[in-house]
Short mmCIF file of all heavy atoms in Angstrom, two decimals:
data_model
loop_
_atom_site.label_atom_id
_atom_site.label_comp_id
_atom_site.label_asym_id
_atom_site.label_seq_id
_atom_site.Cartn_x
_atom_site.Cartn_y
_atom_site.Cartn_z
N LEU A 1479 89.17 112.21 177.57
CA LEU A 1479 89.49 112.79 176.26
C LEU A 1479 88.82 111.87 175.15
O LEU A 1479 88.66 110.69 175.36
CB LEU A 1479 90.97 112.78 176.06
CG LEU A 1479 91.78 113.83 176.94
CD1 LEU A 1479 93.27 113.55 176.73
CD2 LEU A 1479 91.45 115.21 176.45
N PRO A 1480 88.54 112.43 174.05
CA PRO A 1480 87.96 111.63 172.94
C PRO A 1480 89.05 110.88 172.25
O PRO A 1480 90.03 111.43 171.84
CB PRO A 1480 87.32 112.70 171.97
CG PRO A 1480 88.15 113.89 172.23
CD PRO A 1480 88.54 113.93 173.68
N PHE A 1481 88.87 109.56 172.17
CA PHE A 1481 89.77 108.65 171.33
C PHE A 1481 88.94 108.06 170.20
O PHE A 1481 88.09 107.27 170.43
CB PHE A 1481 90.38 107.51 172.22
CG PHE A 1481 91.29 108.06 173.30
CD1 PHE A 1481 90.86 108.29 174.62
CD2 PHE A 1481 92.65 108.20 173.02
CE1 PHE A 1481 91.72 108.69 175.54
CE2 PHE A 1481 93.53 108.62 173.95
CZ PHE A 1481 93.08 108.86 175.22
N CYS A 1482 89.15 108.57 169.03
CA CYS A 1482 88.31 108.17 167.88
C CYS A 1482 89.11 107.57 166.73
O CYS A 1482 88.66 107.44 165.63
CB CYS A 1482 87.51 109.38 167.39
SG CYS A 1482 88.47 110.88 167.19
N GLY A 1483 90.31 107.16 167.02
CA GLY A 1483 91.17 106.57 165.98
C GLY A 1483 92.23 107.50 165.57
O GLY A 1483 92.04 108.75 165.57
N PRO A 1484 93.47 107.04 165.26
CA PRO A 1484 93.93 105.59 165.39
C PRO A 1484 93.97 105.05 166.84
O PRO A 1484 94.00 105.93 167.77
CB PRO A 1484 95.26 105.64 164.76
CG PRO A 1484 95.83 106.96 165.03
CD PRO A 1484 94.57 107.95 164.89
N ASN A 1485 93.97 103.75 166.97
CA ASN A 1485 94.00 103.18 168.32
C ASN A 1485 95.22 102.33 168.57
O ASN A 1485 95.22 101.48 169.50
CB ASN A 1485 92.71 102.31 168.43
CG ASN A 1485 92.70 101.10 167.57
OD1 ASN A 1485 93.38 101.09 166.53
ND2 ASN A 1485 91.99 100.10 167.95
N ARG A 1486 96.26 102.53 167.78
CA ARG A 1486 97.49 101.73 167.96
C ARG A 1486 98.46 102.51 168.92
O ARG A 1486 98.96 103.61 168.57
CB ARG A 1486 98.19 101.50 166.62
CG ARG A 1486 97.22 100.62 165.68
CD ARG A 1486 97.94 100.29 164.36
NE ARG A 1486 99.01 99.26 164.61
CZ ARG A 1486 98.78 97.96 164.66
NH1 ARG A 1486 97.57 97.51 164.41
NH2 ARG A 1486 99.80 97.14 164.84
N ILE A 1487 98.74 101.93 170.06
CA ILE A 1487 99.67 102.43 171.06
C ILE A 1487 101.11 102.04 170.62
O ILE A 1487 101.37 100.94 170.60
CB ILE A 1487 99.34 102.01 172.46
CG1 ILE A 1487 97.90 102.45 172.84
CG2 ILE A 1487 100.35 102.53 173.50
CD1 ILE A 1487 97.49 101.91 174.19
N LYS A 1488 101.95 103.03 170.41
CA LYS A 1488 103.32 102.76 170.04
C LYS A 1488 104.15 102.64 171.28
O LYS A 1488 105.10 103.38 171.56
CB LYS A 1488 103.84 103.87 169.17
CG LYS A 1488 103.21 103.93 167.77
CD LYS A 1488 103.74 105.07 166.92
CE LYS A 1488 103.03 105.13 165.56
NZ LYS A 1488 103.54 106.26 164.73
N HIS A 1489 103.81 101.59 172.13
CA HIS A 1489 104.41 101.36 173.37
C HIS A 1489 104.00 99.92 173.79
O HIS A 1489 103.13 99.33 173.21
CB HIS A 1489 103.99 102.38 174.39
CG HIS A 1489 104.95 102.66 175.49
ND1 HIS A 1489 106.33 102.58 175.31
CD2 HIS A 1489 104.79 103.07 176.79
CE1 HIS A 1489 106.94 102.85 176.42
NE2 HIS A 1489 106.03 103.14 177.33
N PHE A 1490 104.66 99.41 174.92
CA PHE A 1490 104.25 98.06 175.34
C PHE A 1490 103.32 98.05 176.60
O PHE A 1490 102.99 97.01 177.14
CB PHE A 1490 105.50 97.14 175.59
CG PHE A 1490 106.44 97.81 176.61
CD1 PHE A 1490 106.26 97.62 178.02
CD2 PHE A 1490 107.58 98.51 176.19
CE1 PHE A 1490 107.16 98.12 178.89
CE2 PHE A 1490 108.47 99.00 177.08
CZ PHE A 1490 108.26 98.85 178.44
N PHE A 1491 102.88 99.27 177.02
CA PHE A 1491 101.82 99.39 178.07
C PHE A 1491 101.19 100.75 177.95
O PHE A 1491 101.64 101.58 177.24
CB PHE A 1491 102.39 99.10 179.44
CG PHE A 1491 103.27 100.22 179.99
CD1 PHE A 1491 102.80 101.15 180.83
CD2 PHE A 1491 104.64 100.24 179.67
CE1 PHE A 1491 103.65 102.17 181.37
CE2 PHE A 1491 105.47 101.20 180.21
CZ PHE A 1491 104.99 102.18 181.06
N CYS A 1492 100.07 100.91 178.67
CA CYS A 1492 99.31 102.14 178.62
C CYS A 1492 99.99 103.19 179.52
O CYS A 1492 99.79 103.19 180.76
CB CYS A 1492 97.87 101.88 179.08
SG CYS A 1492 96.96 100.81 177.99
N ASP A 1493 100.70 104.00 178.88
CA ASP A 1493 101.47 105.09 179.61
C ASP A 1493 101.01 106.48 179.12
O ASP A 1493 100.37 106.61 178.04
CB ASP A 1493 102.99 104.86 179.34
CG ASP A 1493 103.83 105.63 180.39
OD1 ASP A 1493 103.32 106.04 181.44
OD2 ASP A 1493 105.04 105.65 180.23
N LEU A 1494 101.30 107.50 179.87
CA LEU A 1494 100.82 108.82 179.64
C LEU A 1494 101.18 109.33 178.24
O LEU A 1494 100.27 109.71 177.49
CB LEU A 1494 101.40 109.79 180.69
CG LEU A 1494 100.77 109.82 182.11
CD1 LEU A 1494 101.62 110.72 183.02
CD2 LEU A 1494 99.39 110.42 181.97
N PRO A 1495 102.55 109.51 177.81
CA PRO A 1495 102.82 110.11 176.59
C PRO A 1495 102.21 109.48 175.35
O PRO A 1495 101.58 110.11 174.53
CB PRO A 1495 104.41 110.00 176.54
CG PRO A 1495 104.74 109.93 178.02
CD PRO A 1495 103.70 109.14 178.62
N PRO A 1496 102.24 108.12 175.17
CA PRO A 1496 101.72 107.51 173.96
C PRO A 1496 100.16 107.65 173.96
O PRO A 1496 99.59 107.71 172.87
CB PRO A 1496 102.12 106.01 174.06
CG PRO A 1496 102.56 105.77 175.51
CD PRO A 1496 102.96 107.11 175.96
N LEU A 1497 99.54 107.60 175.08
CA LEU A 1497 98.01 107.75 175.09
C LEU A 1497 97.60 109.19 174.78
O LEU A 1497 96.62 109.37 173.98
CB LEU A 1497 97.52 107.37 176.50
CG LEU A 1497 97.32 105.89 176.76
CD1 LEU A 1497 97.00 105.63 178.25
CD2 LEU A 1497 96.25 105.26 175.89
N LEU A 1498 98.39 110.16 175.30
CA LEU A 1498 98.01 111.53 174.93
C LEU A 1498 98.11 111.81 173.39
O LEU A 1498 97.35 112.58 172.88
CB LEU A 1498 98.88 112.50 175.70
CG LEU A 1498 98.59 112.69 177.19
CD1 LEU A 1498 99.68 113.51 177.82
CD2 LEU A 1498 97.22 113.51 177.31
N ARG A 1499 99.06 111.14 172.82
CA ARG A 1499 99.25 111.33 171.33
C ARG A 1499 98.14 110.73 170.54
O ARG A 1499 97.94 111.12 169.38
CB ARG A 1499 100.57 110.67 170.87
CG ARG A 1499 101.85 111.47 171.33
CD ARG A 1499 103.11 111.05 170.61
NE ARG A 1499 103.59 109.75 171.10
CZ ARG A 1499 104.57 109.74 172.06
NH1 ARG A 1499 105.07 110.80 172.63
NH2 ARG A 1499 105.00 108.54 172.50
N LEU A 1500 97.30 109.86 171.09
CA LEU A 1500 96.21 109.27 170.42
C LEU A 1500 94.92 110.05 170.51
O LEU A 1500 93.94 109.77 169.77
CB LEU A 1500 95.95 107.83 170.89
CG LEU A 1500 97.10 106.78 170.64
CD1 LEU A 1500 96.72 105.43 171.15
CD2 LEU A 1500 97.37 106.69 169.10
N ALA A 1501 94.84 111.00 171.43
CA ALA A 1501 93.58 111.76 171.66
C ALA A 1501 93.26 112.57 170.41
O ALA A 1501 94.15 113.26 169.89
CB ALA A 1501 93.72 112.58 172.90
N CYS A 1502 92.03 112.57 169.95
CA CYS A 1502 91.71 113.41 168.82
C CYS A 1502 91.01 114.69 169.20
O CYS A 1502 89.90 114.95 169.02
CB CYS A 1502 90.81 112.58 167.88
SG CYS A 1502 89.40 111.76 168.63
N ALA A 1503 91.78 115.44 170.00
CA ALA A 1503 91.28 116.77 170.52
C ALA A 1503 92.48 117.58 170.89
O ALA A 1503 93.62 117.09 170.90
CB ALA A 1503 90.39 116.51 171.67
N ASP A 1504 92.29 118.86 171.18
CA ASP A 1504 93.33 119.72 171.62
C ASP A 1504 93.64 119.31 173.06
O ASP A 1504 92.82 119.42 173.97
CB ASP A 1504 92.94 121.17 171.58
CG ASP A 1504 93.98 122.13 171.95
OD1 ASP A 1504 95.13 121.71 172.25
OD2 ASP A 1504 93.68 123.31 172.10
N ILE A 1505 94.93 118.89 173.23
CA ILE A 1505 95.25 118.31 174.58
C ILE A 1505 96.16 119.27 175.36
O ILE A 1505 96.75 118.89 176.38
CB ILE A 1505 96.02 116.96 174.39
CG1 ILE A 1505 97.27 117.14 173.53
CG2 ILE A 1505 95.07 115.90 173.88
CD1 ILE A 1505 98.17 115.87 173.62
N TYR A 1506 96.30 120.51 174.89
CA TYR A 1506 97.30 121.40 175.52
C TYR A 1506 96.95 121.67 177.04
O TYR A 1506 97.87 121.47 177.89
CB TYR A 1506 97.31 122.73 174.87
CG TYR A 1506 98.21 123.79 175.53
CD1 TYR A 1506 99.62 123.66 175.41
CD2 TYR A 1506 97.71 124.85 176.31
CE1 TYR A 1506 100.47 124.57 176.07
CE2 TYR A 1506 98.48 125.70 176.96
CZ TYR A 1506 99.89 125.58 176.91
OH TYR A 1506 100.67 126.51 177.56
N LYS A 1507 95.67 121.95 177.34
CA LYS A 1507 95.29 122.19 178.79
C LYS A 1507 95.44 120.99 179.53
O LYS A 1507 95.89 120.95 180.74
CB LYS A 1507 93.90 122.74 178.78
CG LYS A 1507 93.76 124.15 178.30
CD LYS A 1507 92.34 124.67 178.44
CE LYS A 1507 92.20 126.13 177.87
NZ LYS A 1507 90.76 126.61 178.00
N SER A 1508 95.08 119.83 178.94
CA SER A 1508 95.13 118.58 179.63
C SER A 1508 96.55 118.26 179.96
O SER A 1508 96.91 117.74 181.08
CB SER A 1508 94.53 117.41 178.78
OG SER A 1508 93.11 117.69 178.52
N GLU A 1509 97.48 118.40 178.95
CA GLU A 1509 98.91 118.16 179.18
C GLU A 1509 99.45 119.04 180.29
O GLU A 1509 100.28 118.51 181.17
CB GLU A 1509 99.70 118.46 177.90
CG GLU A 1509 99.70 117.30 176.99
CD GLU A 1509 100.74 117.58 175.84
OE1 GLU A 1509 100.62 118.66 175.22
OE2 GLU A 1509 101.54 116.70 175.55
N VAL A 1510 99.07 120.34 180.32
CA VAL A 1510 99.59 121.21 181.43
C VAL A 1510 99.17 120.69 182.80
O VAL A 1510 100.03 120.63 183.71
CB VAL A 1510 99.02 122.72 181.21
CG1 VAL A 1510 99.39 123.54 182.41
CG2 VAL A 1510 99.72 123.26 179.92
N ILE A 1511 97.91 120.31 182.97
CA ILE A 1511 97.45 119.87 184.24
C ILE A 1511 98.15 118.50 184.61
O ILE A 1511 98.59 118.36 185.77
CB ILE A 1511 95.92 119.64 184.21
CG1 ILE A 1511 95.24 120.99 184.04
CG2 ILE A 1511 95.41 118.99 185.52
CD1 ILE A 1511 93.75 120.89 183.75
#
């Protein structure tokens, strides 16, 4: 997925939900899969 900013993860490790929220694209299909 494209990550083009912001790059601040509101969490203490790289986990699914906070990373998906940072993607700068439509993530609906990705979320479903």
Side-chain angles (χ1 to χ4, degrees):
L1479 289 170
F1481 292 94
C1482 46
N1485 67 336
R1486 299 183 70 86
I1487 299 175
K1488 296 180 179 179
H1489 208 30
F1490 55 85
F1491 71 98
C1492 294
D1493 200 10
L1494 283 170
L1497 278 170
L1498 282 171
R1499 287 195 282 267
L1500 293 180
C1502 49
D1504 183 5
I1505 61 169
Y1506 176 74
K1507 289 182 180 178
S1508 300
E1509 275 191 308
V1510 170
I1511 297 170

